[in-house]
Amino acid sequence: MKKIVIIILLFTSTINLRAQHPWMIKDINATSTSTFPSPVGNNSSDPVNPYSLGGKSFLVNGVAVFSANDGINGDGLWRSDGTAAGTYLLQLFASVNHAVTSMYETEGLLYFTVYVTDITSPKECTLWRTDGTVAGTFQILSNQKHTISQGLCQKYYSNSAAALGNYFYFMVTDTLPDVVVNGNNWPNIHDRVYKTDGTLGGTTVYYDPPGARYNGYQSYNNPVLSDIHQINSSGSNLYIIEDVTTFKNFDSFGLFPQLLLRSDGISQPITIFAPQVGASGGSSGMYLTSTADVNGNYLLINGTISDQAGLFRLYSNETAPIWIDTSSVLLNLTRQTNGIFNPAIGNRFFYRAASGKLKVTDGTIAGTYNFEEPGTGDLFYLGGIANNKILVSNITNSFFWDGASPTSYVKLDSIVSAFDALHVFQANNKLFYLGNLTDKIAWTSELDGSNFLRVFYYYGIPGGALTPNGYIVQLGTGGQNNFDAGNEPGIFKTNFKIFTGNVSNDWATANNWSPAGVPGAADDVVIPALNAAKFPIISRAAACNNLTLCNGLLTITGANLNINGNVANYLSTITGTGSVTFKSTTGAKISGNAFLDVANVYINGTDVGFGTKSATFNSVVTFQTDNKILAPYTSTFFLKPPFIAGYNAKRFVVTNKDLIYYNAGSATTTDSIFTMPIGNSNTSYTPVSFVDSNDSNGIVYLSVA
């Protein structure tokens, strides 16, 4: 075999071509490999933690809101409706050292904190709000005379905020007014509860507990010390757990006795429960670690009350918590969810006990019991609620459980990897599952669990926002997604047609698809992992918009498939004696395994680009219109002579990488003349022609530098 090496030096230019699946919505940061700000705090590996958004998206008024960095101006607040035009900056903060650190979704508004991340700067944190518009995004509380927690608005972690009706209640530590207590130089710095309707004028002190916050073992006439321990709401009530003591009853372990207060959010809260404090101070009174609202039906309280440890219930008309589970809860009640959802269905709440057992309660002792699936171990991950069932996973299996009885569960298909910690959501009459730990894989199924199929690898960051256009997440680099510029906003389309092969392998049979119906030019299509007998075959003219293959095979025999969008090809093949025509009006991108093994590929009315470092055509590629193959960062391989046809000064390959022809000279009995139609920009056509004789299968490399 002979090898011809042609090296052509060209002046290079940058062409920003990115491709990703799920489909990247917009390349916010094209300057580096990171879009999101560096997490603040020590828990940066956790996708949801008190100190960093970690790539989560939040929903407000039908759009996703998230924090991102354009690589030039620093951190800002962005929004997206799932389209490039609808993805834009809402607010750029004062300096590159500012970062959004937590968000809290309420009805119609999203509250968030902005924190100064520079370790050399004063630690400032301010409170903001947004309704998803530029005009509706502004600061409502400054850091002047206020100390605001970074994680204040981390809904599933913070114990310092709650929503009730049209108001948001939150805790700050401030010095309003600037006075001292008892005239003994004890500064009036302590926790207060504020309320806001989302406006500057509507942000005021709601509850000002007596006394000053504890600040060292100093006694000035035995002052009252106070601290807001938790805020939550349930039904029509606001609950406040307050630490309050004097030095006379401050216990030797540093624990404050606690009071439980309740209000309607308008009137001042009143104490409804104050357990008797014994000789050991707070430890014999009440010490609560977390609370959870169960869909407005009752409040769950985890902790110790009068030396009884475990889980307690409080109905709206009760004044004393009722002990319903003597096994203490393993984690903060809100952290049972990993920040993804509230694990409640109706009046049932799902949680893990200290033993690791998955449990459920309906607020009564009789209605509190364990999940009893034999032989699966005790470590469970709560993955979301869909179709009125909770998805739970352990080290071997995943299940849907409605909590009606210890055994009222359904086991998911065994295709789910062990301990994959699935997250589920429901959209367009389907269930969608995202793997979080071992496998970055997405599945889908019907609402009853049938047609459980793998649909794509996603390399996404857990925690998205389900908008009307799809599930918007932050995409990560790695694996088969080489060209995204860091963690960019991307969308899981939830209204695609998926091939099931339930009737046959014929693409043109309506009942082979879910939802039923043969795809048209506007339909996104997924070919999932199926057994060999079910892989689709196209034998007559066909069309689709975006095409995704995941561990699948698509065969085209003597027909043509018009692709009006992009192609995401994961460990799959498009093959056969037929052809593919790219006809997108906005540019077609091929990501994943950029390999086509059909007789002909036609470029008609669109530029074709790649999201991978290499692309291979075992097909003759023919330009039918004045368009380009955009491969500035991609080495392109052509295996079938005459390789590229229909080229001219307006139809060529734009590349700064390698162009490789295999099997040159093998198709004829005389010397073959081939042309490599290239240019290093859209306007610099610099073709290279060569002769390769038929005495061997030539491999021709054109290296562009």
Side-chain angles (χ1 to χ4, degrees), residues 29 175 240 242 290 333 335-336 348 360 469 480 623 653:
N29 184 346
T175 58
I240 298 172
E242 181 182 337
S290 61
L333 282 172
R335 295 189 189 184
Q336 297 289 317
R348 295 191 179 104
V360 69
N469 290 332
Q480 316 208 20
F623 290 100
V653 180

Side-chain angles (χ1 to χ4, degrees), residues 341-622:
F341 69 111
N342 178 18
I345 302 174
N347 69 339
R348 295 191 179 104
F349 187 88
F350 300 83
Y351 62 99
R352 289 184 300 231
S355 64
K357 281 287 188 181
L358 177 65
K359 307 192 75 171
V360 69
T361 185
D362 64 1
T364 67
I365 296 174
T368 303
Y369 40 77
N370 296 333
F371 175 71
E372 294 182 3
E373 202 283 332
T376 58
D378 294 330
L379 182 59
F380 282 91
Y381 175 93
L382 307 181
I385 290 174
N387 203 24
N388 289 318
K389 295 181 176 63
I390 190 170
L391 177 68
V392 298
S393 304
N394 65 4
I395 59 175
T396 54
N397 295 103
S398 294
F399 307 85
F400 273 117
W401 187 32
D402 61 9
S405 76
T407 57
S408 58
Y409 60 82
V410 176
K411 183 183 292 187
L412 273 174
D413 193 297
S414 59
I415 193 173
V416 180
S417 301
F419 196 50
D420 196 66
L422 291 180
H423 169 47
V424 67
F425 64 90
Q426 182 176 337
N428 291 315
N429 292 317
K430 285 187 180 295
L431 300 182
F432 294 83
Y433 313 80
L434 305 180
N436 284 340
L437 295 179
T438 56
D439 293 322
K440 299 300 185 182
I441 295 174
W443 294 265
T444 189
S445 77
E446 309 299 336
L447 294 180
D448 62 2
S450 63
N451 290 331
F452 186 87
L453 298 168
R454 180 182 300 189
V455 289
F456 43 71
Y457 297 89
Y458 72 98
Y459 295 97
I461 297 174
L466 185 59
T467 71
N469 290 332
Y471 188 73
I472 296 178
V473 297
Q474 313 313 325
L475 300 173
T477 56
Q480 316 208 20
N481 304 286
N482 298 304
F483 275 177
D484 90 89
N487 296 320
E488 301 289 354
I491 186 168
F492 292 88
K493 297 292 187 69
T494 58
N495 58 348
F496 54 76
K497 285 183 174 290
I498 185 169
F499 190 85
T500 65
N502 286 339
V503 176
S504 66
N505 58 10
D506 182 17
W507 174 290
T509 298
N511 287 332
N512 280 329
W513 296 92
S514 176
V518 179
D523 291 316
D524 291 341
V525 165
V526 173
I527 309 300
L530 298 165
N531 63 52
K534 291 187 175 183
F535 283 134
I537 296 175
I538 295 176
S539 57
R540 67 190 78 173
C544 67
N545 187 36
N546 294 317
L547 173 65
T548 299
L549 296 94
C550 183
N551 295 94
L553 174 69
L554 173 61
T555 302
I556 306 173
T557 59
N560 178 74
L561 171 64
N562 279 342
I563 299 176
N564 295 289
N566 303 315
V567 175
N569 185 6
Y570 297 113
L571 303 177
S572 307
T573 301
I574 302 175
T575 190
T577 59
S579 60
V580 167
T581 301
F582 287 102
K583 294 181 67 68
S584 170
T585 58
T586 59
K589 298 178 177 66
I590 307 173
S591 59
N593 297 339
F595 183 85
L596 288 170
D597 185 27
V598 291
N600 292 281
V601 172
Y602 299 107
I603 298 176
N604 187 305
T606 187
D607 293 338
V608 175
F610 309 96
T612 55
K613 293 180 179 179
S614 65
T616 301
F617 293 89
N618 191 24
S619 315
V620 178
V621 178
T622 301

